[in-house]
Each structure stands twice: as structure tokens, then as C-alpha cells.
Amino acid sequence: MQYIRIMPSLQDYSVRGKRYWRIVESYRDERGRPRIRVVRHLGTAQRLLKRLSEAPGRPLFAEERDFGATAALWDVAQQLDIIGTIDAHAPKRDQGASVGEYILLATLNRALAPASKRKLAAWYRDTILVRLLPLRAAALRSQRFWDHMNYLDESTLAAIENDITRRVVEGWHVDLRALFYDTTNFDTFLSSDNPGELAQRGHAKSKRTDLRIVGLALLVSWDFHIPLFSKAYEGNQNDSVTFTRVLDDLVARYQMFQEKCQRITLVFDKGNNSEENIQALDGSPYHFIGSLVPSQHQDLLDIPLERFRYIKDPLFEGVRVHRTEKEVFGQKRTIVVTRSRALLQGQVRGIRQHLAKKLKALRDLQNRVARSHEPGRKGKPYTEESLQKSLDKIISGQYIADFLWGKVTRKCGRFGIEFGTDDAAYHELKQRVLGKRILFTDRQDLTDEEIILGYRGQHHVERAFRDMKDPYFISFSPPRHWTDQMLRVHAFYCVLALTLVSLLHRRVHQAGIHVSQQGLMEQLKKIKEITNYYPAQSEEELHLGGRPRSERTLTRRDSQQNQLFRTLALDRFLAS
């Protein structure tokens, strides 16, 4: 019989003159006539009162699960339709969990508690995902994840990212006026005989020259560094070469962005500069702001500081600026040379630290040379050539080589070294080079302040990379995969994890809750769900096999956690 539930209600009835109570539901039968269905008999008023007065008793046991952060990120993923988007591009037989469900599970794990696939099942059981995304234990074996990752090749991942980016741009109204592009690399622990081409030895940001690395190019928004494009590439590939290879993809993204913003400025650093790249940008719909290598533009460094003006805006305290024009990469560009007191002080501190290490190394070399002349000393003696080679290696380095000098001496047939610093050269370096940046752009309509602020916005993409290198948050490294295809999938869900967290942070900030991204996740992680299990009491519960009754509640929340709980409407997930 089909019926439509109206609302459970409490109803009294009589049997042999005694009054009883029961819970009923109303419905209409096939002919539309009202009927009731008994949900539960409650007995007499005295028995009902006794039940209401009884304490629930001591629980048999309790379970704690991660609630706040899991529910909040799951909600963002549902709004973006992550599972549906992935499954549309990577369909499989309707059996068990889908590809989208596996990838979303890996994504949430990266954002909340990065772990290997072998440990992911244990993490899953301690979160409310057991209700939101119920899966059998066998489905959480690492092999099952790897099987489903095989559905996603490079072109499929690009198509999925394209659809997700479109949904972000259209549904979340991301600020597209300035976009920030940069690259970085991540360590892997792949052996040298692994045949993969993605992980290569190159210039590792971590300084681990013994490890193979994977590169990642990223394009993020001005507001909350939301990823809008990513690409994994070979770890030994030069930044400017990478920029050349992704430029067509960035132009394709522009076709999507222009529906929401007509004038987009791409911001990048000097590592991406080449004549080919800048000319390609001139032919693209993007405007740009970049920086130049100071040593390649001595004429701009020669401009005396007296011609610089101080910027009055407190946001640029201690910054002087000089604006001019110059032909750069085949076109006349707007040039803004800045000198920052903060940058100058930071560079001076760095130079002093490096100088102390260099002087110590020179003294050590001097002592080794002196000991090599002692009678009975074993070992190969220094030659003038080997000594000069060691000396040149020590005194080399950015800025240091401009004022630190050293030379090989020979007295009484014995080699030695002399070294020192040139104070005049150091003073010239401070006045002429240190503290300066040379910015260039194709936009003449921007003020000096807008150009500087636009270039400073690079901290958004740098922040994104720092998040991905945090061992407790997203944690790209170490990727526990051994093929190029799986490394690309790993990069994809790491970037997707950053997308979910950034969108959540943006939503909270727009609601007036000003907290850092790390602070937001820490506060949400502290909101735990507690499920208490009580012994079966009623006849109905006993009839069901003595299954214990359960009650869910949340841990105590402070004022900010309560504010986040209400803003994100997380109460929806407590009853789910």
C-alpha cells in the first residue's frame, strides 16, 4: 500500500476502559481516504511518564569521529559536483565505488590528514565519511585506489580540471583581474632505474640533489589563491621552457575567464622570461606584469636614487620608485624600478650570513694550505691550479663575488692564499643594486602603485606552494606512486584539495570570520562527533537482536567554532 507521510503525532486510545498512548503517522490510501499507521505503542500515561523520567543509563561505549573539517570540505565538494564531474569523464561499470568517489576520498585525505593509501582506510573509519560515503572495508584497499587511478590519463585529467575550473569561475565569482603563475618542484623517492620520465634530477627547491623531482606549474587567483590551472612536468625542465609549453593552455583558459572578466593581467617572475615567451604573450589576450634580471639592465641600475620618489601610501612604507620606458623583448614597455628598505635590509642580512660562512671557509683553506707544508706531511700537495680552483669556488656567489676577493700567493716556493673584502665595492653594491626590483608591463594605464601591488600578489601562488609542501596539510611529497600516470593523478588531487580548502576559506572570510587558512582548518578539526551506544531496552530493540541504541552529539565548541558551525550550517551533517 502506498501512503504519504504527513507528520508523526501522539494519539490516545482506549482498550476495555483503560487509556493508552501511541505514536501514529497519517496517510491517504489509493482512494484518497485518510488512514493512520501505528509507529509505536507507548502504553499507559504512567508507563510513558516512567520512560521519560528514566535516565539513559551508562553508555556501553563511545566513538569519536572527525566532523567539522570533514563536513565542511565535503559540502564544498558537493557544490562543485566533484564526484559527478570525474565520473562523467571516467565512467565505469556500476559496481562498487566510482572513480569520482575514490578520487574525492583521496582528495579529502590530502586536505585533512595526508596518509598513504595503505593507511587511508583507518583514517576513513575515524571520520563521518562512513556515513557520507559508505564503503566496504575491501573497497578501501590500496590496490582498489590504484585500479581506479588508472582510469585517469593526462587528457582526461585536463578535461576534468577544465570543468571544475569553469564551475569555480561561474559559481563562486572568483576575482580574475589578476592571475598569478609560478612553478615549483617536489621530491620523490623513485629509484634511478625507474623508467618514468616525469621524475628527473634537476634543480630541487629542497636542495636534495640526490632525489628525483617532479615539477608543477600552477595558476591561482588573486583572492585566496584558488587554483585555476595546473600541470605536472619533468623535474629537469627549465621554467621558461615550461612556460612556453603551457602558454597555449593558459590562452585556452582565457576563453573561459573572459566571460566574467574582460581585462586579465598575468603576473609571473623573471624565471619565465625569454624573448619567445614574451612575444607569445604579446600575441595572446593576456596583459602581463613581470620582472627583469637587474644585471641584464645596467642602465636602469645606474639611475641615481635622487630621481626616485617615495610612495606616500602606508601600504608601501619605505619604498621609492622611478618610472620610465624601455624597449624590452622587442617592444617598448612601461618600466618601474623600485627600491625597498625592507628588501634591502633582508638582502644585507643574507649577505652577512653568507659572508661569515665564506670567510670561515677561506680561513679553513688557509690553514689546510699551511699544514700541507709541514715536514712529513702526507698526501698530494696543492698546486697553483688546484688552489685557485678551490679559492674561486669559495668566493663565488650572488653579490658576494662583487666585493669578496682572494688570490693565490707564493713565498719562498710555498703556496698560500690572501683574502679580504672591498669596502668601496660593497658600498657601491648597496647603493646601486641591493633593494631594487625592475618590473615591466605592457599596461600603460596602471599607476606605479598598481604595478607594484600586482607583482607583490605573487605571494598568493607562493602561499599555495607552501601549503602543498606542509607535511601535515595537503603534503604533495612524498608521492607514493611509481608511474608517470599515477604521479599526474596524485598532483591532480593535491591541487583539488587546495581548491576545496581555498574556496572554504573564501566563504568563511566573506561571512565576516577573519581567520587564517591554517587556523580555519585547525578550528574545524577540533569539532568532533561523539556517538554514545546504550544497551537495548525496549522489546522492539531486543527483537532486533539486542542492537544498542545510539545518540550522536558534538564536543564542546568555543565561540569561534560555534560561529563557524552556524555559518557553514554543519548541523545538517549531524543528523545525516
Side-chain angles (χ1 to χ4, degrees):
M1 180 181 293
Q2 300 295 322
Y3 63 89
I4 301 174
R5 293 181 180 179
I6 305 300
M7 221 14 207
S9 60
L10 193 63
Q11 184 187 72
D12 65 320
Y13 64 101
S14 295
V15 176
R16 297 178 183 177
K18 287 188 177 183
R19 197 177 187 189
Y20 297 92
W21 295 87
R22 61 189 178 186
I23 297 175
V24 299
E25 284 182 341
S26 301
Y27 68 94
R28 291 185 180 275
D29 63 15
E30 294 88 343
R31 299 183 180 181
R33 293 174 297 188
R35 293 286 186 265
I36 64 169
R37 170 180 173 269
V38 177
V39 177
R40 186 165 183 178
H41 291 281
L42 302 175
T44 63
Q46 289 79 5
R47 185 176 179 186
L48 178 57
L49 178 60
K50 183 181 178 181
R51 284 193 174 194
L52 293 174
S53 303
E54 286 177 349
R58 182 174 227 157
L60 293 170
F61 59 91
E63 289 180 339
E64 180 186 88
R65 289 192 172 96
D66 289 336
F67 177 86
T70 304
L73 291 180
W74 172 267
D75 191 31
V76 176
Q78 295 304 103
Q79 293 177 51
L80 289 176
D81 191 22
I82 298 298
I83 294 175
T85 302
I86 295 174
D87 288 344
H89 290 277
K92 56 165 278 192
R93 188 173 58 179
D94 187 14
Q95 183 180 24
S98 70
V99 177
E101 288 171 332
Y102 274 106
I103 297 302
L104 179 56
L105 190 58
T107 299
L108 294 175
N109 174 257
R110 283 286 124 185
L112 297 170
S116 69
K117 299 299 181 291
R118 294 183 185 277
K119 297 179 180 179
L120 199 143
W123 164 80
Y124 166 85
R125 288 192 295 269
D126 289 335
T127 72
I128 63 168
L129 289 171
V130 295
R131 297 199 313 273
L132 301 176
L133 185 59
L135 296 171
R136 295 179 298 107
L140 293 171
R141 294 173 183 164
S142 53
Q143 185 62 53
R144 298 286 77 76
F145 280 92
W146 301 331
D147 291 342
H148 287 77
M149 289 169 70
N150 282 324
Y151 281 87
L152 303 172
D153 58 22
E154 186 174 7
S155 61
T156 302
L157 289 171
I160 293 170
E161 184 183 76
N162 187 73
D163 285 355
I164 292 173
T165 300
R166 184 180 300 278
R167 198 165 285 116
V168 168
V169 170
E170 293 177 352
W172 294 72
H173 309 293
V174 177
D175 188 347
L176 299 172
R177 289 173 296 175
L179 302 178
F180 302 90
Y181 170 86
D182 204 357
T183 60
T184 193
N185 52 58
F186 300 92
D187 296 335
T188 73
F189 293 97
L190 295 180
S191 62
S192 298
D193 58 358
N194 183 284
E197 298 180 358
L198 210 53
Q200 300 287 343
R201 284 185 173 81
H203 183 67
K205 304 286 185 180
S206 65
K207 310 300 182 185
R208 289 291 304 269
T209 55
D210 58 318
L211 298 179
R212 295 171 67 175
I213 57 178
V214 173
L216 181 69
L218 201 61
L219 181 73
V220 305
S221 67
W222 177 285
D223 54 340
F224 300 92
H225 57 264
I226 300 166
L228 300 173
F229 169 80
S230 68
K231 187 175 183 64
Y233 63 91
E234 294 82 356
N236 60 352
Q237 187 169 283
N238 184 276
D239 286 352
S240 62
V241 174
T242 303
F243 191 70
T244 301
R245 295 181 178 179
V246 304
L247 194 53
D248 287 343
D249 296 320
L250 296 179
V251 171
R253 280 286 193 273
Y254 187 93
Q255 308 306 319
M256 178 194 306
F257 300 152
Q258 69 177 350
E259 299 173 9
K260 299 294 179 180
C261 184
Q262 297 296 321
R263 199 173 177 90
I264 302 175
T265 300
L266 190 64
V267 183
F268 53 90
D269 69 14
K270 53 183 173 288
N272 299 291
N273 289 354
S274 73
E275 187 161 354
E276 179 185 0
N277 287 345
I278 303 304
Q279 288 178 355
L281 268 179
D282 286 333
S284 79
Y286 287 106
H287 295 284
F288 67 85
I289 297 174
S291 64
L292 300 172
V293 179
S295 60
Q296 296 175 356
H297 298 273
Q298 297 293 333
D299 57 323
L300 297 176
L301 293 177
D302 287 335
I303 299 173
L305 291 177
E306 292 76 20
R307 293 173 60 182
F308 285 62
R309 69 174 181 87
Y310 276 103
I311 300 179
K312 297 180 180 179
D313 191 328
L315 188 63
F316 303 97
E317 184 179 358
V319 176
R320 286 194 277 183
V321 62
H322 177 78
R323 186 182 185 121
T324 184
E325 289 186 341
K326 181 182 178 180
E327 184 172 312
V328 178
F329 298 115
Q331 295 284 345
K332 183 171 285 189
R333 316 289 183 183
T334 297
I335 304 291
V336 173
V337 185
T338 68
R339 191 172 195 262
S340 164
R341 184 166 59 239
L343 177 60
L344 172 64
Q345 292 171 348
Q347 288 177 327
V348 167
R349 282 195 301 271
I351 287 173
R352 287 175 177 171
Q353 291 171 356
H354 280 91
L355 179 61
K357 294 178 181 178
K358 297 285 187 181
L359 291 175
K360 181 180 183 303
L362 288 168
R363 288 191 292 269
D364 290 344
L365 177 61
Q366 193 175 51
N367 291 334
R368 288 198 303 274
V369 173
R371 288 196 300 270
S372 70
H373 297 301
E374 294 176 356
R377 183 78 176 182
K378 297 181 180 180
K380 189 177 180 180
Y382 283 100
T383 64
E384 183 175 4
E385 182 181 356
S386 66
L387 194 54
Q388 186 66 56
K389 185 176 180 180
S390 298
L391 192 60
D392 290 344
K393 183 177 180 180
I394 294 174
I395 64 176
S396 64
Q398 188 181 30
Y399 304 138
I400 293 288
D402 292 337
F403 64 90
L404 178 63
W405 59 269
K407 64 179 181 180
V408 178
T409 62
R410 186 170 186 175
K411 294 180 181 178
C412 302
R414 294 184 173 184
F415 290 115
I417 64 168
E418 293 180 357
F419 57 88
T421 57
D422 187 331
D423 292 341
Y426 177 67
H427 179 73
E428 182 183 358
L429 179 69
K430 281 183 66 175
Q431 289 296 111
R432 184 170 175 272
V433 179
L434 297 184
K436 289 183 178 179
R437 279 199 179 98
I438 303 175
L439 309 182
F440 76 118
T441 178
D442 65 335
R443 293 189 62 174
Q444 298 180 350
D445 59 311
L446 297 180
T447 65
D448 298 344
E449 290 82 353
E450 288 171 332
I451 294 172
I452 298 170
L453 188 62
Y455 188 77
R456 282 187 177 182
Q458 275 196 304
H459 74 85
H460 291 287
V461 69
E462 292 164 0
R463 174 75 257 182
F465 286 142
R466 282 198 299 274
D467 288 341
M468 297 179 75
K469 294 186 178 187
D470 188 324
Y472 305 106
F473 175 61
I474 300 181
S475 185
F476 187 106
S477 292
R480 296 174 174 87
H481 302 289
W482 56 92
T483 67
D484 289 349
Q485 185 267 338
M486 287 196 176
L487 285 171
R488 288 191 173 93
V489 178
H490 177 80
F492 170 80
Y493 59 64
C494 284
V495 173
L496 183 55
L498 181 63
T499 302
L500 298 182
V501 174
S502 298
L503 288 173
L504 178 63
H505 187 209
R506 182 177 185 266
R507 178 180 173 186
V508 166
H509 191 274
Q510 289 177 337
I513 305 175
H514 301 294
V515 59
S516 69
Q517 184 167 280
Q518 295 281 21
L520 168 64
M521 296 308 295
E522 288 173 6
Q523 287 288 70
L524 287 173
K525 286 179 181 179
K526 290 177 182 178
I527 304 177
K528 304 286 188 179
E529 177 188 272
I530 306 296
T531 305
N532 291 315
Y533 292 88
Y534 297 91
Q537 290 181 344
S538 69
E539 293 180 4
E540 183 179 350
E541 291 168 337
L542 290 171
H543 180 68
L544 292 174
R547 189 181 306 166
R549 294 180 296 111
S550 63
E551 290 182 357
R552 292 189 199 129
T553 187
L554 298 177
T555 51
R556 186 189 299 274
R557 302 183 295 279
D558 62 24
S559 58
Q560 187 173 68
Q561 290 164 7
N562 257 328
Q563 191 178 13
L564 291 170
F565 186 83
R566 291 192 302 269
T567 298
L568 301 174
L570 297 183
D571 56 315
R572 296 169 291 154
F573 300 97
L574 185 61
S576 62

